[in-house]
Amino acid sequence: MLQLLEFYRKEAIAEVADSTDSYIQAAQRSGVAGIQQMIGDQLAGTAWRGTNHWKNVLYRGLLDSANFCEGGYLSLLPPSLRNRTAEITTGRQTAYSGRS
């Protein structure tokens, strides 16, 4: 069996995890709009690959996900960093605060 689903799942996780620091910085500068702008830029940067390329599909999905843009990307961080980063990013306690 080709196991393509598992392969692309791992690739997608790695792709998003590699950008977590940039998402945090974008959120600190401009909040949700900063995250959306960054993902939009990532999507534009992969447009040459075609609309059905897995990276384009990934970035379109992230851009359409209010949960991800409002802090869901923090779930990619280890729990020890997640809570503190959520507070720094938003300037207040969030749904991720207090959870380990």
Side-chain angles (χ1 to χ4, degrees):
M1 181 169 280
L2 295 176
Q3 299 180 348
L4 290 175
L5 180 61
E6 182 63 17
F7 172 79
Y8 285 114
R9 185 185 73 78
K10 289 179 180 178
E11 289 294 311
I13 290 169
E15 181 78 13
V16 175
D18 286 347
S19 296
T20 302
D21 289 341
S22 297
Y23 294 141
I24 291 167
Q25 291 172 3
Q28 287 174 326
R29 283 192 307 273
S30 305
V32 172
I35 299 291
Q36 292 169 328
Q37 178 64 49
M38 183 182 163
I39 296 170
D41 292 346
Q42 290 173 307
L43 178 58
T46 61
W48 65 272
R49 297 176 187 265
T51 58
N52 290 324
H53 189 274
W54 71 269
K55 285 187 180 184
N56 285 345
V57 173
L58 171 67
Y59 290 128
R60 276 195 311 269
L62 294 177
L63 192 56
D64 291 341
S65 172
N67 180 35
F68 184 84
C69 293
E70 292 171 358
Y73 58 89
L74 294 172
S75 67
L76 298 168
L77 295 173
S80 59
L81 296 175
R82 186 178 312 145
N83 299 338
R84 183 66 184 130
T85 302
E87 292 171 9
I88 291 169
T89 301
T90 63
R92 59 182 168 72
Q93 289 195 341
T94 68
Y96 295 97
S97 298
R99 294 182 187 170
S100 53

